[in-house]
């Protein structure tokens, strides 16, 4: 890699919002580290090809964000190879939706382990190198339901509310080291995660959005691009909502 290239690690980068962020970030001035944990590599490999076509240096990084030792080993290896990580985008997440009275313990644990513990695992491992270099940008992908709640998503809402609290706390810890830590809270975005919803549920969501439409992953990626740019250097500890007016 060229010494002036910026090193960006994106978790859950193979599809949806993560893929859109990778495509937005892709240019000859960056090294993109594309984490995924899909059972098959097809989507990750396609994302890799697409960002390389835009001139970026890129690497697929297959590891489970919920496994602390695995995260630590993988990220330390990347730091040894590339020298630094300038930007961390904690995007990996899952849903296991059902009403609380029907929710299985494993559905609670799985969602919390990826959506919240995964953010802790990746951030703690990366933050040490950012503190040493006295610079860095971290963006955590939360959700509108972390702020407003949603029936049938107690596990998901709790995990994303946790991400919001985590973001604010870490931002205070590292602000003096010129590291900015922010969260974004997407609303109803057109991704593979929302594509499985029935048309009736989809229409119910749309009726509650003042703008009358769902958001695009590319629109979320634009917000992330701003937050990791020098234009956001005086913004930290914030939760920026992108939801078409669903929650104000």
């Amino acid at each position: 890699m060229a010494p002036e290239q910026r090193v960006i690690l994106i978790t859950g980068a193979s599809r949806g919002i993560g893929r859109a962020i990778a495509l937005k970030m892709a240019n000859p001035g960056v090294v993109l580290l594309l984490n995924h944990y899909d059972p098959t590599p097809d989507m990750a490999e396609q994302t890799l090809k697409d960002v390389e076509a835009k001139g970026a240096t890129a690497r697929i990084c297959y590891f489970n964000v919920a496994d602390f030792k695995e995260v630590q080993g993988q990220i330390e290896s990347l730091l040894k190879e590339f020298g630094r990580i300038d930007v961390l985008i904690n995007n990996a997440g899952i849903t296991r939706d059902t009403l609380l009275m029907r929710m299985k313990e494993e559905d609670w644990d799985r969602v919390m382990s990826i959506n919240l513990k995964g953010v802790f695992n990746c951030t703690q491992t990366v933050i040490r190198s950012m503190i040493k270099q006295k610079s860095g940008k971290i963006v955590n992908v939360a959700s509108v339901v972390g702020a407003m709640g949603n029936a049938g998503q107690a596990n998901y809402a709790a995990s994303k509310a946790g991400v919001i609290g985590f973001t604010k706390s870490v931002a205070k810890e590292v602000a003096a080291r010129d590291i900015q830590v922010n969260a974004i809270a997407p609303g109803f975005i057109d991704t593979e995660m929302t594509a499985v919803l029935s048309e009736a549920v989809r229409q119910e969501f749309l009726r509650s959005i003042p703008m009358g439409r769902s958001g695009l992953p590319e629109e979320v990626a634009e917000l992330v691009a701003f937050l990791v740019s020098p234009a956001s250097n005086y913004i930290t500890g914030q939760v920026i909502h992108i939801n078409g007016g669903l929650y104000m």
Side-chain angles (χ1 to χ4, degrees):
M1 61 175 271
E4 69 277 6
Q5 282 181 303
R6 207 172 181 210
V7 183
I8 301 172
L9 171 59
I10 307 170
T11 69
S14 62
R15 61 184 73 230
I17 290 172
R19 170 180 161 82
I21 293 169
L23 291 170
K24 177 63 183 176
M25 299 284 100
N27 66 69
V30 302
V31 175
L32 289 175
L33 306 176
L34 308 172
N35 159 262
H36 83 104
Y37 199 58
D38 296 330
T40 60
D42 303 3
M43 290 295 294
E45 289 174 357
Q46 185 59 55
T47 301
L48 177 70
K49 289 177 186 176
D50 292 343
V51 299
E52 286 180 336
K54 298 181 77 171
T57 302
R59 166 80 58 82
I60 291 176
C61 306
Y62 180 81
F63 62 86
N64 178 12
V65 298
D67 186 320
F68 181 77
K69 288 185 177 178
E70 190 174 343
V71 168
Q72 196 172 45
Q74 290 282 340
I75 291 180
E76 286 178 355
S77 177
L78 293 168
L79 285 167
K80 189 175 293 185
E81 179 176 355
F82 294 103
R84 65 187 188 277
I85 292 174
D86 301 294
V87 176
L88 169 63
I89 299 165
N90 284 307
N91 167 73
I94 63 166
T95 57
R96 293 291 185 271
D97 297 348
T98 190
L99 294 174
L100 178 63
M101 56 190 268
R102 298 176 187 158
M103 189 174 291
K104 297 176 181 176
E105 181 185 8
E106 55 263 36
D107 289 338
W108 173 273
D109 290 346
R110 186 68 176 146
V111 167
M112 296 299 283
S113 68
I114 293 174
N115 296 7
L116 183 54
K117 188 175 180 234
V119 173
F120 162 79
N121 290 344
C122 295
T123 304
Q124 191 189 59
T125 309
V126 166
I127 205 77
R128 291 187 177 95
S129 67
M130 288 185 174
I131 287 170
K132 285 180 183 177
Q133 68 195 31
K134 296 184 179 179
S135 68
K137 299 272 191 180
I138 298 174
V139 177
N140 299 323
V141 180
S143 168
V144 65
V145 304
M148 64 183 279
N150 194 37
Q153 290 194 301
N155 50 2
Y156 186 74
S159 71
K160 294 302 187 178
V163 168
I164 290 171
F166 177 86
T167 298
K168 292 174 180 288
S169 298
V170 177
K172 288 186 175 184
E173 292 182 12
V174 299
R177 297 298 183 118
D178 200 21
I179 301 166
Q180 293 83 53
V181 186
N182 292 289
I184 63 168
F188 189 71
I189 309 296
D190 278 331
T191 65
E192 292 87 350
M193 191 180 285
T194 57
V196 300
L197 298 174
S198 70
E199 185 59 26
V201 171
R202 181 181 179 82
Q203 289 304 317
E204 186 178 343
F205 264 113
L206 293 178
R207 280 193 293 272
S208 63
I209 300 172
M211 290 183 68
R213 68 171 178 88
S214 53
L216 301 174
E218 292 77 14
E219 292 173 312
V220 179
E222 291 284 351
L223 175 57
V224 173
F226 166 72
L227 287 174
V228 303
S229 76
S232 71
N233 282 353
Y234 201 54
I235 300 172
T236 198
Q238 302 306 304
V239 182
I240 302 178
H241 289 267
I242 176 166
N243 59 40
L246 174 63
Y247 176 80
M248 300 185 186

